[in-house]
Amino acid sequence: MLDNARPVVLPAGGSASTYRADVDGLRAIAVIVIILFHAELAPFAGGFVGVDIFFVISGYLITRLIMADIDHGDFSIITFYKRRVRRLFPALFAMLAVTLVAGVFLLLPRDLASLGRNITGTTLFVSNFFFWEQAGYFEGDAHYKPLLHTWSLAVEEQYYIVYPLLLSLLKRWWPHSVKSVMLALTLLSFFGAVLMMRIDPSAAFYLAPFRAWELLLGALIALRVFPVLPARLTGFFSLSGAILIAGSVLLYSDLTPFPGISALVPCLGTALILYAGEHAKPAINRLLAQRPIVFIGLISYSVYLWHWPIFVFVRYYAIEKLTTLESLGLLLFSLAVGALSWRTIEMPFRKSRNWRIRTPILRLASGVMALSIFAGGSIYAANGLPDRFPKTTQRLSDYALSMNPEADMCADVELQLRKGSPCTIGPRDQAQLFLWGDSHAGALFGAMQVLAKEGKSTIYGATPRCPPLLGLGTDAACIAGNQKRLDYVLSHPEIDTVILAARWSLYLEGRMVEGPAETNGNLPRLFDATGHEYEPFTRDASRHFRYAFYALVKRLLLADKKVVLLYPVPETGYDIPSTLARINSQGGNPAAFTISRDIYDRRQSEALRLLDQLGRRRALYRVYPEDALCNRTDCVTSVDGRPLYFDSHHLSIPGARILLPQIRAALH
């Protein structure tokens, strides 16, 4: 992704090799499928694998470049980084400057402050850590993060901090071990990524150690670790690679667990095409070397840099989901901007004969980085310049914080159940209620606050992405935590009522996709106590979910506990505080923004069946949020100027309090 150079090099192996046009053709495929994915065009739901294609290409090209310099005896780390600076910095910092200016005009204070912070992270090439940190359950949607795409640049630059030095040292001191060491590191990184997918999928996605194998796979091709490919097989290998890439682009979706094993398919496909092209020019490679395709490859770095901020800002202003025609228009506009950036920014700085600035390049780069950090840091320190907007707009936006301020801390079951826990809502010696479930249970905080003032305190037992089940959960900690909650409730007779709430449909069907503020990435998976994983959203998974939920309800009822079931909260598909604030800033009426009741009925049909099939039992009560929030045609998103959600599907404090009449009726 980062290196668009056209070097003439001597690859490891000794024979001369010149610029490969088919590699730029592969770059073109990578950037096009990425944009098609970001344009949300259904046939290309797996287009996110374009980043993985870029990684393999980058590992291949950089290794060729470094090995050529080493073989010629003139490799220098300083020279290497000067090349990186001249090729990467001009377009990158031009994009950052334009993005910051556009953000000042368009973004709400919270979003602009986040942009300022992320500009600092991007400048230091650590934005992947920033976005990993921001991958928490309550963080804003990816659609509104203009620099989200820079995580991949950070991964590559972190790789380049270590890799050139490692390669040069190996070549100097252990020349006969270069291939075996690189192969071992590739396998270590790959299996580490597979393991991390089970522990922390976000870390596997964003962090360099778990992505390094993709770059190293390209390096293995450049190092010619594998035997020379007979000419008669090059066409088969190249075609197989193209099929693997096409299959991942067309068959993967945001429901595909990724990266890990799934990333092997597009990466192997890319490696096969590179491998075949090392030994011959089969049909696929010749096709990729056609000039129109090659041109898109040449401008791919600039296109990649500019396309995502363009999509983000247009969506941010438009509010409603873009039409297919509008998305295609943005795709073409991104290509045009990328071509302009390549011609007017990238190329003049890249070609030495056009270099007219006498300041040493690393010193100049340091100055630009310092200026960028200062600008981003100032915006962040100023809380996103809130005075740009009327007070009403700021107030609506601030409802993003209308939640339990201790929700993150109180996700820990040990803290929840501890005597004297700060997570208890109200005096613990008055606790009669136990609130149990995932973050949708936690979102009832506003209602529980009122009940505490009325003399009914609540033991808080909400952990995000952990539904109330018995013997089944999203991970081992979830299963164990639910057992501890059950033991606590059964051993405390003063707890007479248990409220069960969850985002039921999330575990049965995934996230909703009607609005622009929902993606299905990093979905929760279901495991049993033995560690067996159920295939997501299958009948088998749904059946076991139902059994585990019914088993819990039965245990509670047999213990003479009153059980209150919170039915599904209407999900909007829009970040409500942000959406209403933007409508207000554009002169619209936030109160008029509603969601079709049909969306609720379609989205929640399976979850409603799950809860309805428990039937009418003694001590089993139900709360129906749709009765409070919806009429026959629409579901409201605000009341009296107060947003009822703090994101797209969690009730805000006033949203939870709207349910109080039903909750009180159930408790009495």
Side-chain angles (χ1 to χ4, degrees):
M1 184 189 305
L2 301 183
D3 189 355
N4 283 324
R6 304 175 65 161
V8 177
V9 300
L10 291 174
S15 60
S17 176
T18 58
Y19 162 71
R20 283 183 56 177
D22 61 321
V23 176
D24 269 324
L26 266 177
R27 273 206 196 96
I29 299 300
V31 77
I32 289 297
V33 299
I34 287 172
I35 302 178
L36 289 171
F37 168 68
H38 286 156
E40 298 181 347
L41 299 177
F44 307 98
F48 53 82
V49 303
V51 172
D52 305 87
I53 298 172
F54 271 133
F55 282 160
V56 178
I57 294 171
S58 293
Y60 171 77
L61 289 176
I62 289 298
T63 301
R64 281 168 48 116
L65 184 65
I66 294 172
M67 290 302 294
D69 287 347
I70 291 174
D71 289 343
H72 288 141
D74 58 0
F75 175 74
S76 164
I77 289 289
I78 298 299
T79 301
F80 176 84
Y81 283 115
K82 285 182 178 179
R83 288 173 178 167
R84 301 273 69 71
V85 166
R86 288 180 59 171
R87 289 174 183 167
L88 306 182
F89 276 37
L92 173 63
F93 284 98
M95 182 274 293
L96 292 180
V98 172
T99 298
L100 182 58
V101 171
V104 170
F105 281 97
L106 290 174
L107 298 182
L108 295 170
R110 285 171 52 82
D111 298 321
L112 183 61
S114 178
L115 174 61
R117 183 173 183 266
N118 291 330
I119 282 177
T120 300
T122 300
T123 301
L124 296 173
F125 292 103
V126 293
S127 62
N128 58 327
F129 287 99
F130 280 36
F131 291 119
W132 173 46
E133 179 190 355
Q134 294 171 29
Y137 197 67
F138 298 121
E139 288 294 336
D141 185 71
H143 280 83
Y144 302 141
K145 296 178 180 178
L147 298 180
L148 180 63
H149 63 319
T150 63
W151 73 267
S152 61
L153 278 69
V155 166
E156 289 195 20
E157 287 309 295
Q158 290 159 23
Y159 175 83
Y160 293 148
I161 291 173
V162 177
Y163 181 71
L165 183 59
L166 173 64
L167 188 57
S168 62
L169 290 176
L170 284 173
K171 186 66 175 176
R172 179 176 180 181
W173 297 107
W174 299 281
H176 300 297
S177 301
V178 173
K179 295 180 181 181
S180 57
V181 170
M182 290 302 168
L183 180 59
L185 290 174
T186 304
L187 294 174
L188 181 64
S189 174
F190 174 71
F191 287 113
V194 173
L195 177 62
M196 187 54 66
M197 281 294 293
R198 300 183 66 88
I199 300 172
D200 185 349
S202 294
F205 187 92
Y206 284 114
L207 301 188
F210 311 112
R211 290 289 195 157
W213 69 269
E214 302 182 27
L215 292 109
L216 287 168
L217 184 59
L220 297 180
I221 303 299
L223 291 169
R224 299 196 171 179
V225 169
F226 308 106
V228 174
L229 188 63
R232 66 180 183 278
L233 294 179
T234 56
F236 172 76
F237 273 63
S238 185
L239 178 61
S240 299
I243 291 172
L244 290 175
I245 291 174
S248 59
V249 170
L250 298 175
L251 300 179
Y252 282 9
S253 72
D254 50 7
L255 296 180
T256 304
F258 200 88
I261 293 176
S262 300
L264 186 61
V265 176
C267 290
L268 183 59
T270 306
L272 288 175
I273 294 175
L274 294 173
Y275 183 40
E278 281 280 290
H279 307 287
K281 293 183 179 179
I284 293 295
N285 297 69
R286 293 197 302 271
L287 176 63
L288 290 171
Q290 298 302 304
R291 293 189 67 177
I293 302 177
V294 169
F295 176 72
I296 296 176
L298 291 173
I299 66 173
S300 60
Y301 173 58
S302 276
V303 171
Y304 182 80
L305 283 180
W306 290 97
H307 87 281
W308 182 243
I310 290 171
F311 272 86
V312 166
F313 286 125
V314 170
R315 284 172 172 153
Y316 196 89
Y317 183 79
I319 297 176
E320 293 291 347
K321 188 174 182 179
L322 301 181
T323 66
T324 299
L325 187 61
E326 290 168 337
S327 294
L328 287 173
L330 286 184
L331 186 154
L332 295 175
F333 182 66
S334 297
L335 290 174
V337 172
L340 181 64
S341 172
W342 175 75
R343 174 62 66 184
T344 61
I345 301 175
E346 274 195 73
M347 294 308 294
F349 281 87
R350 181 175 298 175
K351 293 182 178 180
S352 58
R353 64 178 178 272
N354 292 333
W355 189 255
R356 296 289 182 265
I357 300 176
R358 297 184 179 276
T359 304
I361 189 168
L362 294 183
R363 186 183 304 171
L364 178 63
S366 299
V368 172
M369 292 176 70
L371 182 61
S372 178
I373 292 170
F374 174 77
S378 297
I379 292 291
Y380 179 71
N383 297 315
L385 306 176
D387 291 340
R388 294 171 298 129
F389 292 95
K391 294 296 183 183
T392 303
T393 298
Q394 296 180 45
R395 183 181 60 80
L396 289 169
S397 178
D398 286 343
Y399 272 85
L401 301 176
S402 182
M403 64 176 87
N404 181 356
E406 308 298 341
D408 287 339
M409 177 186 71
C410 290
D412 179 20
V413 65
E414 300 293 344
L415 182 59
Q416 294 168 2
L417 305 182
R418 184 184 306 165
K419 186 176 182 179
S421 170
C423 302
T424 302
I425 305 172
R428 199 173 182 92
D429 58 4
Q430 297 178 11
Q432 299 171 269
L433 311 178
F434 194 96
L435 180 62
W436 190 344
D438 63 9
S439 59
H440 274 219
L444 294 178
F445 173 76
M448 299 299 105
Q449 273 187 314
V450 175
L451 293 177
K453 294 176 181 178
E454 297 173 358
K456 289 182 179 285
S457 297
T458 300
I459 303 296
Y460 183 89
T463 298
R465 300 168 67 90
C466 182
L469 304 172
L470 191 59
L472 193 73
T474 50
D475 55 31
C478 175
I479 297 172
N482 278 332
Q483 184 61 54
K484 290 177 181 178
R485 293 184 183 97
L486 179 61
D487 293 341
Y488 182 92
V489 169
L490 297 182
S491 63
H492 285 74
E494 72 276 11
I495 302 294
D496 58 31
T497 301
V498 178
I499 301 174
L500 300 179
R503 191 180 181 184
W504 309 107
S505 53
L506 174 68
Y507 312 99
L508 299 171
E509 299 180 89
R511 296 193 176 101
M512 68 176 295
V513 293
E514 282 85 354
E518 287 281 358
T519 63
N520 269 316
N522 193 19
L523 283 167
R525 298 166 293 168
L526 291 177
F527 300 85
D528 64 21
T530 68
H532 172 72
E533 179 180 356
Y534 295 93
E535 185 68 24
F537 319 125
T538 60
R539 288 186 178 182
D540 187 46
S542 296
R543 183 172 65 254
H544 282 86
F545 186 95
R546 183 170 63 253
Y547 292 160
F549 176 59
Y550 290 174
L552 176 61
V553 173
K554 183 178 179 180
R555 287 288 302 275
L556 293 171
L557 292 176
L558 287 174
D560 292 326
K561 305 293 183 181
K562 182 184 292 186
V563 176
V564 179
L565 303 179
L566 182 75
Y567 269 56
V569 170
E571 300 180 20
T572 70
Y574 294 78
D575 185 299
I576 294 304
S578 173
T579 298
L580 299 186
R582 283 178 281 142
I583 290 173
N584 181 263
S585 71
Q586 296 173 20
N589 178 16
F593 186 80
T594 59
I595 304 299
S596 170
R597 172 65 183 259
D598 289 342
I599 293 177
Y600 177 84
D601 294 334
R602 292 197 310 271
R603 163 65 170 164
Q604 305 296 350
S605 58
E606 187 173 353
L608 294 174
R609 283 196 297 272
L610 168 79
L611 299 170
D612 286 343
Q613 287 174 359
L614 276 167
R616 299 293 168 182
R617 306 187 185 191
R618 183 182 62 83
L620 183 62
Y621 299 85
R622 291 168 165 86
V623 172
Y624 299 96
E626 75 274 17
D627 287 351
L629 300 173
C630 306
N631 55 35
R632 289 186 175 183
T633 59
D634 299 294
C635 298
V636 298
T637 61
S638 65
V639 170
D640 298 330
R642 295 175 299 172
L644 301 180
Y645 300 81
F646 66 72
D647 57 11
S648 67
H649 56 90
H650 290 96
L651 293 175
S652 64
I653 289 177
R657 289 175 178 171
I658 280 184
L659 304 182
L660 271 171
Q662 289 191 62
I663 295 174
R664 288 193 184 103
L667 297 181
H668 296 112

